[in-house]
Amino acid sequence: MQNGRVTDTTSAQARKGKDIQGIPWGRLSITRTKYRQTRLEQYKNYENVTNSGEASEKGCKSTEKGGMYYEFWRNTRSAKSTILHFQLRNLVWATSKHDVYLMSNYSVIHWSALTRKKSEVLNVSGHVAPSEKHPGNLQEGFSQTQVSTLTVKDKILVAGGFQGELIFKYLDRPGISFCCRTTYDDNAITNAVEIYNASSGAVHFMASNNDCGVRDYDMEKFQMSRHFHFPWPVNHSSLSPDGKLLVVVGDNPEGILADAHSGKSIHDLHGHLDYSFASAWNPDGRMFATGNQDKTCRVWDARNLSKSLAVLRANLGAIRSIRFTSDGQFMAMAEPADFVHIFDVTRGHEKQQELDFFGEISGMSFSPDTEALFVGVWDRTYGSLLQYKRSRNLSYLDLLP
């Protein structure tokens, strides 16, 4: 801390004992250990199903802690990451080990870990309207959009809003290419968006909504190409790497594995006890994971869905975000606050690394080359962007198959 101002923390400073978030524990009336204990005892997990977090404890996989897969590199205070909805935490996206995009109030900002500079990419505080004309474009645009979810990939940004808004922008072009509203239902929050390349080569994105729908948009034609309906509000969906299967989770303890072309259910996913808000596919195309408010992440094998492969438990609360590295070796699951758990997939989730800090988690993202992990932390005083780099100091035991 300099002149009363909390400063960034580097890995060199952390090794010398400085708190990674710059929290001056020596000047406070409580130690870090005591405060951690208090948080574990007093944090209230949000549940739609009463006592789901307590009931789910039985049957969880016991995992060994102490893995060191990603090392703390830097905490950046100037890249302030924020959230707008306590259940939706997909607001941080890395496009390289140096480049990350995140929501900061009403702005999408780009942070360069290389130049240590940030720039505004999209501002939604005022009126937002498309600069291009397409048949499906809502030319009048939107005003004061509350961004609930975000995704960035291949120079494309898609932001979803609290009233079903969708904003599509090419990062290497000026202006906004596409705006649409999925529905005029005020409760139809856009919960998740995913960009992918279709077999035709065209760029598509898929949006999940509280109105029980999943919609697929063809960005070559700038039109919706498919609209699937499910029996409950959808909180998240994930497309398999080959584009054939779709994991759908929402306001129901059971998830669905569906045909990505027809939307028809293939198999129900039994095991969770509360509503789910996260899902992700391993790049191998066989394994996927779902995160639930019952404080567990379930790992599944698409070839045998009679039961989950593993049930992994959180410390504080719901699993709000799940990510796999592009090589499929590691899976990270984020709680609402304070903890991100990284599991070694190749060792059957037997061992994990636990990232421990303080503050609400707005999102997390591995870089495409697996070299970096970014975690957005929202807090009035210590809000920041945590950056970790892939460890090259794995022990002999960590390298065993």
Side-chain angles (χ1 to χ4, degrees):
M1 183 175 288
Q2 297 177 353
N3 300 323
R5 183 171 60 90
V6 181
T7 57
D8 293 353
T9 304
T10 66
S11 56
Q13 291 171 324
R15 285 193 293 270
K16 293 178 180 178
K18 182 179 178 180
D19 181 84
I20 64 170
Q21 294 176 274
I23 302 174
W25 296 106
R27 301 180 186 179
L28 302 179
S29 60
I30 190 171
T31 64
R32 190 187 197 281
T33 301
K34 182 62 178 177
Y35 187 59
R36 169 53 67 216
Q37 181 182 345
T38 301
R39 288 276 283 181
L40 289 170
E41 293 172 352
Q42 297 182 358
Y43 189 91
K44 179 65 175 176
N45 178 43
Y46 184 85
E47 299 174 336
N48 286 99
V49 178
T50 305
N51 295 325
S52 63
E54 182 179 342
S56 69
E57 189 168 3
K58 184 180 179 181
C60 288
K61 187 180 184 71
S62 177
T63 58
E64 178 189 350
K65 295 182 181 180
M68 182 51 70
Y69 313 128
Y70 282 81
E71 301 175 22
F72 172 76
W73 186 244
R74 181 183 283 272
N75 181 50
T76 302
R77 294 294 320 288
S78 59
K80 289 193 177 295
S81 180
T82 60
I83 60 173
L84 283 173
H85 194 284
F86 73 101
Q87 292 172 308
L88 306 176
R89 305 300 182 93
N90 293 304
L91 296 170
V92 175
W93 289 91
T95 56
S96 81
K97 63 182 178 181
H98 301 303
D99 300 281
V100 62
Y101 295 80
L102 59 148
M103 282 303 304
S104 185
N105 297 313
Y106 280 94
S107 294
V108 178
I109 65 169
H110 165 252
W111 169 256
S112 171
L114 197 61
T115 64
R116 313 289 306 151
K117 293 181 179 179
K118 66 179 179 180
S119 58
E120 186 177 71
V121 175
L122 177 67
N123 188 308
V124 295
S125 62
H127 186 70
V128 175
S131 56
E132 301 177 16
K133 289 188 177 181
H134 302 288
N137 236 340
L138 191 67
Q139 291 299 137
E140 61 267 32
F142 317 114
S143 294
Q144 292 187 318
T145 306
Q146 291 180 291
V147 174
S148 51
T149 189
L150 180 75
T151 188
V152 185
K153 182 181 179 183
D154 299 334
K155 295 292 183 181
I156 295 170
L157 179 152
V158 182
F162 271 26
Q163 295 184 324
E165 304 99 327
L166 286 169
I167 301 170
F168 180 97
K169 177 180 175 59
Y170 287 102
L171 294 175
D172 54 358
R173 297 185 200 173
I176 295 166
S177 294
F178 184 69
C179 284
C180 74
R181 195 183 297 276
T182 57
T183 174
Y184 287 89
D185 180 351
D186 288 344
N187 295 318
I189 298 174
T190 305
N191 294 321
V193 284
E194 180 177 12
I195 300 168
Y196 71 98
N197 294 313
S199 56
S200 64
V203 176
H204 282 237
F205 73 85
M206 195 167 277
S208 306
N209 287 76
N210 266 26
D211 66 351
C212 306
V214 174
R215 296 167 174 84
D216 186 275
Y217 291 84
D218 183 338
M219 298 319 299
E220 190 174 85
K221 301 176 181 178
F222 288 93
Q223 291 181 343
M224 184 173 70
S225 59
R226 289 174 292 183
H227 183 188
F228 304 141
H229 295 270
F230 295 94
W232 25 257
V234 178
N235 294 327
H236 204 272
S237 63
S238 296
L239 189 67
S240 63
D242 63 6
K244 295 180 179 180
L245 299 172
L246 184 68
V247 175
V248 184
V249 297
D251 287 2
N252 192 292
E254 294 183 0
I256 294 173
L257 182 67
D259 183 290
H261 298 288
S262 67
K264 292 182 178 179
S265 176
I266 296 172
H267 204 289
D268 289 340
L269 306 174
H270 302 282
H272 283 304
L273 304 179
D274 208 318
Y275 296 174
S276 292
F277 283 83
S279 63
W281 281 88
N282 187 304
D284 67 9
R286 298 189 302 272
M287 187 184 301
F288 63 91
T290 54
N292 193 274
Q293 291 184 156
D294 65 7
K295 297 173 68 172
T296 70
C297 170
R298 285 182 175 263
V299 182
W300 310 83
D301 187 328
R303 299 166 299 180
N304 181 7
L305 295 169
S306 58
K307 66 175 183 177
S308 47
L309 290 175
V311 185
L312 309 170
R313 189 165 179 79
N315 294 330
L316 288 177
I319 303 303
R320 298 287 182 200
S321 183
I322 303 170
R323 297 283 182 266
F324 284 92
T325 51
S326 60
D327 60 7
Q329 183 174 357
F330 300 111
M331 182 193 80
M333 66 181 201
E335 301 190 36
D338 293 17
F339 293 103
V340 170
H341 308 264
I342 306 173
F343 294 88
D344 187 340
V345 176
T346 60
R347 294 183 61 189
H349 309 87
E350 298 285 349
K351 192 171 185 179
Q352 68 158 301
Q353 176 183 2
E354 189 175 87
L355 308 184
D356 182 330
F357 44 87
F358 293 98
E360 297 290 306
I361 299 172
S362 60
M364 62 170 181
S365 181
F366 289 109
S367 60
D369 63 3
T370 79
E371 289 299 313
L373 170 64
F374 295 91
V375 181
V377 180
W378 183 85
D379 183 84
R380 292 187 183 278
T381 305
Y382 299 102
S384 59
L385 184 68
L386 290 167
Q387 181 181 354
Y388 297 81
K389 69 172 184 177
R390 191 156 178 173
S391 176
R392 294 293 177 247
N393 297 313
L394 298 179
S395 70
Y396 171 71
L397 292 177
D398 284 324
L399 296 172
L400 290 176

